[in-house]
Amino acid sequence: MIISISDKDNNIKIWNINDWKCILNIKNIYKNGGIDSVCFLNDNNKNYIITSNDDCKRNPESITIFDFNGKKLKEIKDSNYDTYFIDTYYDNKLSKNFIITGNISYPRSYDYSSSKLYHKYSDDNNKEQFYMSIFDKDDILKLIESSSDKFIRIWDFHSGKLDRKSTRLNS
């Protein structure tokens, strides 16, 4: 399967990669703004679609979860930020799914099960994050984020503390 989004049309489509047929079209996801990012989540062998919203700093809506029938299942509490990047991470040690987001200000993580904020990764001058990744180093989960302020930050995923910050990258 391949997922595509249309910010302008405010919809998501899932395509069968074998025959390129559209197998799901979810329309009018958000009332305000558009969809900037989307990802899949597998929870207990069931697949879900997670969407994020960007409303140009006016009134962004919450992260929303859909099933593969297009039914809206839930929203993540306190997640109504302009969100440019969204992904999921399954922590094997905790047997728990997390949602990670790149936003207009700070990266955030959410506990999928409780639908609540897990951490806000706050530094003095965070700017928009357009990409993030998680890796396990010496049994400590690290969140790496690149930001429009030209810094790369590495966070301890579970404590939320800044581990390292790169020197400013050239343009």
Side-chain angles (χ1 to χ4, degrees), residues 1-115:
M1 290 183 280
I2 291 179
I3 194 165
S4 65
I5 61 174
S6 174
D7 180 48
K8 183 180 177 183
D9 296 334
N10 206 6
N11 75 331
I12 295 170
K13 291 183 180 181
I14 297 181
W15 307 85
N16 180 329
I17 196 167
N18 295 320
D19 59 13
W20 295 106
K21 289 186 180 177
C22 180
I23 56 176
L24 179 64
N25 184 5
I26 307 173
K27 298 177 181 179
N28 302 315
I29 304 282
Y30 293 107
K31 294 175 190 152
N32 301 310
I35 304 166
D36 266 6
S37 189
V38 64
C39 66
F40 292 118
L41 175 121
N42 183 290
D43 188 48
N44 294 320
N45 292 319
K46 292 184 181 177
N47 292 313
Y48 301 100
I49 303 160
I50 302 180
T51 66
S52 70
N53 182 239
D54 173 18
D55 191 29
C56 300
K57 304 176 192 175
R58 284 175 264 166
N59 191 24
E61 297 177 52
S62 298
I63 294 169
T64 306
I65 290 85
F66 293 90
D67 67 14
F68 269 50
N69 294 315
K71 180 182 175 189
K72 181 178 175 179
L73 300 177
K74 68 179 181 175
E75 293 181 358
I76 302 297
K77 297 173 189 163
D78 301 319
S79 67
N80 53 329
Y81 300 98
D82 286 315
T83 302
Y84 306 119
F85 174 85
I86 195 163
D87 203 358
T88 59
Y89 179 77
Y90 183 78
D91 188 321
N92 287 313
K93 289 181 184 171
L94 299 178
S95 299
K96 188 177 276 206
N97 275 304
F98 292 93
I99 299 169
I100 57 173
T101 64
N103 307 281
I104 195 147
S105 55
Y106 307 105
R108 291 173 173 84
S109 58
Y110 298 89
D111 180 318
Y112 173 75
S113 297
S114 69
S115 299

Side-chain angles (χ1 to χ4, degrees), residues 98-141:
F98 292 93
I99 299 169
I100 57 173
T101 64
N103 307 281
I104 195 147
S105 55
Y106 307 105
R108 291 173 173 84
S109 58
Y110 298 89
D111 180 318
Y112 173 75
S113 297
S114 69
S115 299
K116 293 182 180 177
L117 180 69
Y118 184 64
H119 282 296
K120 178 173 97 170
Y121 304 91
S122 179
D123 188 22
D124 293 336
N125 297 314
N126 286 70
K127 300 291 183 193
E128 299 91 356
Q129 303 85 42
F130 297 104
Y131 182 75
M132 296 187 303
S133 183
I134 295 180
F135 74 99
D136 192 344
K137 177 151 170 97
D138 303 323
D139 287 333
I140 298 174
L141 285 180

